Amino acid sequence: MEYQEIVKQKVKEIQKKVQNGQDVLILAIESSCDETSIAVVKNGREVLSNEIASQIDIHTRFGGVVPEVASRNHILCINNVLKKSLQTANVSLDDIDAVAVTYGAGLSGALMVGVNFAKGLALSKNLPLVAVNHIKGHISANYIQNKELKPPFICLVVSGGHTAILKIDDYMHHTLIGQTLDDAIGEAFDKVARVVGLGYPGGPKIDKEAKKGEYNLHFVKKSDLDKTYNVSYSGLKTAVINYLHQKEQNHEAINVADVACSFQHEAVDMLVDKVIRAAKEYDLKTVAMAGGVAANSYLREEMSKKCLQNGLELTYPSLILCTDNGAMIGAEAYNNIVVDNNVCYDLTVSPNPSLKL
Ligand code: KG4
Ligand code: ZN
């Protein structure tokens, strides 16, 4: 029998296993940026292993992720990450029901490594291949964190490439409520960290520095956007850059901690109120957060406080599940394979660097 026919049957078998309450194991691969990660996820919500090889130390020298360097390092370590992941989960490839992989969005060469590795594994073991949208994976990290979580809920997606308020309608569909009109919040954190001299990776460095500072600088004024669910980060980013230039021209010292703290306050505050308003308007009692910036300590604190004040339940992934990781890809793949019969599970998938949500 051809591979195509075999995997069609296997997908049906997986769906039957789910109906009968039998365990389903997914091996999930993530290589969209500078983390090579492979996880084994049981029944979409239980993480048996989540090995992550981070390249942060390598890219720090260059002040940011160098795509070519990222691809080479994925190639160098992916086999080892697979071995460790199977070892930690205490399973072999023969125990796996399906392979999942991030196919976008991300760096083209980096995605190529993961996608081709996944294709090789799927073909050699006659397993279905589930192609996963990276940002949907970030959202699904919440199902691992909160085993009781079920749609519908409001989800704030905050990453290096996305800033959006979504209504998660069901496991496959969502409605866009608001988004950034220009830069993503993570991009703004990274840019501000660079211009203020904190370097890469920007988000965590601003977060840490902000703890030493005070919110005593005001970069953005109230705008018409306040009444909508949309946000804009280019104005805030430019205001910080202009402030720094002015200080430099006047030979005045800069308090980096205050700049970090004030920027972080304004970047986060403009989102939190909108998320609460969205939950009320759509009459939803649960709020979730997803993406790298969901690791931000001030965002977590502020959102927790406001959700509590408004009687809303808040869920966000642990720090390790906020960064890029294979487990979230496994959780999303499970939702795809179980809920949607028309999911793409063959070998025709190719990386899509600009894949939309
Ligand atoms: O979700 P992610 O891996 O990016 C995409 O998938 O696009 O998130 C990376 C982004 C970076 O911009 C990084 O600076 C930011 O998340 N980030 C943070 C923190 N940790 C990571 N931003 C603010 N505070 C943090 N603690
Ligand atoms: Zn990500």
Side-chain angles (χ1 to χ4, degrees):
M1 226 194 309
E2 287 274 311
Y3 168 80
Q4 296 283 38
E5 290 307 310
I6 298 172
V7 294
K8 262 188 200 156
Q9 272 185 15
K10 289 216 169 158
V11 169
K12 288 204 183 94
E13 280 168 28
I14 294 174
Q15 287 161 347
K16 219 173 259 164
K17 271 189 170 188
V18 174
Q19 282 163 11
N20 296 338
Q22 287 170 272
D23 289 340
V24 171
L25 294 191
I26 296 181
L27 181 97
I29 301 167
E30 157 63 40
S31 71
S32 65
C33 191
D34 57 347
E35 260 106 23
T36 321
S37 178
I38 302 187
V40 178
V41 179
K42 188 162 117 185
N43 303 332
R45 298 205 179 209
E46 195 183 325
V47 180
L48 301 189
S49 65
N50 191 21
E51 294 300 326
I52 304 173
S54 172
Q55 302 178 12
I56 281 188
D57 293 345
I58 297 165
H59 297 284
T60 299
R61 280 185 258 154
F62 305 106
V65 179
V66 183
E68 175 66 19
V69 175
S71 317
R72 281 164 186 252
N73 280 286
H74 285 309
I75 291 173
L76 287 177
C77 73
I78 198 160
N79 213 22
N80 219 14
V81 174
L82 171 68
K83 273 191 201 152
K84 274 199 199 161
S85 185
L86 291 170
Q87 240 168 35
T88 308
N90 200 18
V91 297
S92 81
L93 279 177
D94 294 332
D95 301 313
I96 300 296
D97 293 289
V99 176
V101 67
T102 302
Y103 77 108
L107 302 170
S108 175
L111 289 165
M112 199 101 72
V113 177
V115 168
N116 284 329
F117 191 76
K119 282 186 188 180
L121 278 181
L123 189 59
S124 69
K125 287 289 178 187
N126 278 328
L127 292 172
L129 178 65
V130 188
V132 172
N133 180 318
H134 180 79
I135 293 295
K136 287 194 161 200
H138 272 300
I139 296 168
S140 285
N142 284 289
Y143 298 122
I144 298 174
Q145 191 67 42
N146 179 349
K147 308 275 187 260
E148 311 303 318
L149 180 67
K150 283 192 189 88
F153 55 88
I154 293 289
C155 188
L156 172 66
V157 178
V158 275
S159 74
H162 286 79
T163 309
I165 301 171
L166 306 177
K167 175 174 171 272
I168 308 298
D169 300 305
D170 57 42
Y171 288 105
M172 297 301 294
H173 305 96
H174 64 264
T175 308
L176 179 68
I177 297 176
Q179 62 184 330
T180 178
L181 299 179
D182 38 58
D183 302 343
I185 184 170
E187 234 178 309
F189 266 89
D190 294 338
K191 177 76 187 181
V192 168
R194 208 172 310 137
V195 293
V196 89
L198 290 171
Y200 164 90
K205 294 229 164 128
I206 295 250
D207 195 348
K208 196 169 167 207
E209 190 69 18
K211 292 199 167 84
K212 299 181 235 158
E214 272 178 43
Y215 178 24
N216 53 15
L217 300 164
H218 298 275
F219 297 115
V220 283
K221 295 185 186 73
K222 288 236 165 267
S223 81
D224 289 346
L225 281 183
D226 290 350
K227 293 177 219 130
T228 73
Y229 287 114
N230 293 326
V231 288
S232 158
Y233 283 105
S234 81
L236 172 58
K237 185 185 76 182
T238 310
V240 176
I241 294 171
N242 288 345
Y243 169 82
L244 295 173
H245 282 168
Q246 217 173 29
K247 285 279 178 187
E248 199 177 39
Q249 271 170 5
N250 296 341
H251 305 288
E252 286 170 7
I254 294 157
N255 184 325
V256 175
D258 287 352
V259 174
C261 183
S262 303
F263 160 77
Q264 180 173 272
H265 261 262
E266 297 198 339
V268 167
D269 288 352
M270 74 169 95
L271 277 171
V272 174
D273 288 343
K274 287 175 196 260
V275 170
I276 303 292
R277 190 151 50 83
K280 285 186 171 169
E281 184 175 329
Y282 288 84
D283 199 20
L284 293 169
K285 290 275 163 278
T286 308
V287 169
M289 298 200 288
V293 184
N296 184 265
S297 57
Y298 175 66
L299 172 61
R300 286 167 174 242
E301 259 169 44
E302 203 53 21
M303 194 68 91
S304 301
K305 200 170 79 190
K306 292 272 167 72
C307 280
L308 192 68
Q309 282 168 1
N310 288 278
L312 300 167
E313 193 195 323
L314 174 66
T315 279
Y316 49 77
S318 63
L319 287 178
I320 204 72
L321 290 173
C322 278
T323 51
D324 291 347
N325 68 90
M328 68 185 198
I329 303 303
E332 172 61 14
Y334 180 86
N335 291 341
N336 277 261
I337 213 165
V338 170
V339 176
D340 186 5
N341 292 321
N342 297 318
V343 65
C344 162
Y345 46 78
D346 59 24
L347 300 178
T348 56
V349 60
S350 52
N352 183 349
S354 50
L355 183 67
K356 300 278 172 293
L357 241 175

PDB file of all heavy atoms in Angstrom, residues 32 134-135 138 159 291-292 322-324 328, ligand 2:
ATOM      1  N   SER A  32      11.082  27.014  14.009  1.00  0.00           N
ATOM      2  CA  SER A  32      10.759  28.179  13.183  1.00  0.00           C
ATOM      3  C   SER A  32      11.712  29.354  13.366  1.00  0.00           C
ATOM      4  O   SER A  32      11.817  30.216  12.509  1.00  0.00           O
ATOM      5  CB  SER A  32       9.332  28.638  13.478  1.00  0.00           C
ATOM      6  OG  SER A  32       9.235  29.093  14.804  1.00  0.00           O
ATOM      7  N   HIS A 134       2.462  27.941  13.650  1.00  0.00           N
ATOM      8  CA  HIS A 134       3.217  28.251  14.877  1.00  0.00           C
ATOM      9  C   HIS A 134       2.389  29.043  15.906  1.00  0.00           C
ATOM     10  O   HIS A 134       2.410  28.741  17.110  1.00  0.00           O
ATOM     11  CB  HIS A 134       4.469  29.045  14.477  1.00  0.00           C
ATOM     12  CG  HIS A 134       5.339  29.442  15.613  1.00  0.00           C
ATOM     13  ND1 HIS A 134       6.215  28.584  16.220  1.00  0.00           N
ATOM     14  CD2 HIS A 134       5.469  30.622  16.266  1.00  0.00           C
ATOM     15  CE1 HIS A 134       6.841  29.215  17.192  1.00  0.00           C
ATOM     16  NE2 HIS A 134       6.416  30.453  17.245  1.00  0.00           N
ATOM     17  N   ILE A 135       1.675  30.043  15.436  1.00  0.00           N
ATOM     18  CA  ILE A 135       0.917  30.890  16.374  1.00  0.00           C
ATOM     19  C   ILE A 135      -0.262  30.118  16.972  1.00  0.00           C
ATOM     20  O   ILE A 135      -0.577  30.256  18.158  1.00  0.00           O
ATOM     21  CB  ILE A 135       0.445  32.193  15.676  1.00  0.00           C
ATOM     22  CG1 ILE A 135       1.663  33.063  15.324  1.00  0.00           C
ATOM     23  CG2 ILE A 135      -0.517  32.989  16.550  1.00  0.00           C
ATOM     24  CD1 ILE A 135       2.460  33.589  16.520  1.00  0.00           C
ATOM     25  N   HIS A 138       1.176  28.337  19.771  1.00  0.00           N
ATOM     26  CA  HIS A 138       1.300  29.180  20.974  1.00  0.00           C
ATOM     27  C   HIS A 138      -0.026  29.216  21.735  1.00  0.00           C
ATOM     28  O   HIS A 138      -0.052  29.116  22.963  1.00  0.00           O
ATOM     29  CB  HIS A 138       1.715  30.603  20.597  1.00  0.00           C
ATOM     30  CG  HIS A 138       3.200  30.805  20.511  1.00  0.00           C
ATOM     31  ND1 HIS A 138       4.042  30.599  21.579  1.00  0.00           N
ATOM     32  CD2 HIS A 138       3.997  31.203  19.480  1.00  0.00           C
ATOM     33  CE1 HIS A 138       5.286  30.860  21.222  1.00  0.00           C
ATOM     34  NE2 HIS A 138       5.297  31.227  19.952  1.00  0.00           N
ATOM     35  N   SER A 159       3.504  38.151  20.440  1.00  0.00           N
ATOM     36  CA  SER A 159       4.762  37.476  20.092  1.00  0.00           C
ATOM     37  C   SER A 159       5.675  38.427  19.328  1.00  0.00           C
ATOM     38  O   SER A 159       5.398  39.626  19.238  1.00  0.00           O
ATOM     39  CB  SER A 159       4.451  36.244  19.250  1.00  0.00           C
ATOM     40  OG  SER A 159       4.089  36.639  17.956  1.00  0.00           O
ATOM     41  N   GLY A 291       2.171  33.278  23.356  1.00  0.00           N
ATOM     42  CA  GLY A 291       3.297  33.882  22.639  1.00  0.00           C
ATOM     43  C   GLY A 291       4.407  34.306  23.581  1.00  0.00           C
ATOM     44  O   GLY A 291       4.216  34.382  24.807  1.00  0.00           O
ATOM     45  N   GLY A 292       5.574  34.596  23.003  1.00  0.00           N
ATOM     46  CA  GLY A 292       6.768  34.910  23.788  1.00  0.00           C
ATOM     47  C   GLY A 292       6.581  36.037  24.791  1.00  0.00           C
ATOM     48  O   GLY A 292       7.097  35.981  25.913  1.00  0.00           O
ATOM     49  N   CYS A 322       5.772  29.306  27.091  1.00  0.00           N
ATOM     50  CA  CYS A 322       5.589  30.579  26.378  1.00  0.00           C
ATOM     51  C   CYS A 322       6.626  30.724  25.272  1.00  0.00           C
ATOM     52  O   CYS A 322       6.360  31.278  24.215  1.00  0.00           O
ATOM     53  CB  CYS A 322       5.744  31.770  27.323  1.00  0.00           C
ATOM     54  SG  CYS A 322       4.278  32.127  28.262  1.00  0.00           S
ATOM     55  N   THR A 323       7.840  30.252  25.542  1.00  0.00           N
ATOM     56  CA  THR A 323       8.875  30.334  24.497  1.00  0.00           C
ATOM     57  C   THR A 323       8.582  29.260  23.456  1.00  0.00           C
ATOM     58  O   THR A 323       7.771  28.372  23.680  1.00  0.00           O
ATOM     59  CB  THR A 323      10.279  30.068  25.072  1.00  0.00           C
ATOM     60  OG1 THR A 323      10.207  28.850  25.804  1.00  0.00           O
ATOM     61  CG2 THR A 323      10.756  31.159  25.973  1.00  0.00           C
ATOM     62  N   ASP A 324       9.261  29.336  22.318  1.00  0.00           N
ATOM     63  CA  ASP A 324       9.013  28.365  21.262  1.00  0.00           C
ATOM     64  C   ASP A 324       9.365  26.961  21.754  1.00  0.00           C
ATOM     65  O   ASP A 324      10.467  26.736  22.280  1.00  0.00           O
ATOM     66  CB  ASP A 324       9.844  28.721  20.022  1.00  0.00           C
ATOM     67  CG  ASP A 324       9.333  29.998  19.375  1.00  0.00           C
ATOM     68  OD1 ASP A 324       8.216  30.433  19.730  1.00  0.00           O
ATOM     69  OD2 ASP A 324      10.042  30.549  18.519  1.00  0.00           O
ATOM     70  N   MET A 328       3.778  22.637  22.489  1.00  0.00           N
ATOM     71  CA  MET A 328       2.607  23.408  22.038  1.00  0.00           C
ATOM     72  C   MET A 328       2.195  22.982  20.618  1.00  0.00           C
ATOM     73  O   MET A 328       1.009  23.005  20.273  1.00  0.00           O
ATOM     74  CB  MET A 328       2.900  24.918  22.105  1.00  0.00           C
ATOM     75  CG  MET A 328       3.943  25.403  21.118  1.00  0.00           C
ATOM     76  SD  MET A 328       4.341  27.155  21.358  1.00  0.00           S
ATOM     77  CE  MET A 328       5.136  27.553  19.781  1.00  0.00           C
TER      78      MET A 328
HETATM   79 ZN    ZN B   2       6.924  31.765  18.792  1.00  0.00          ZN
END
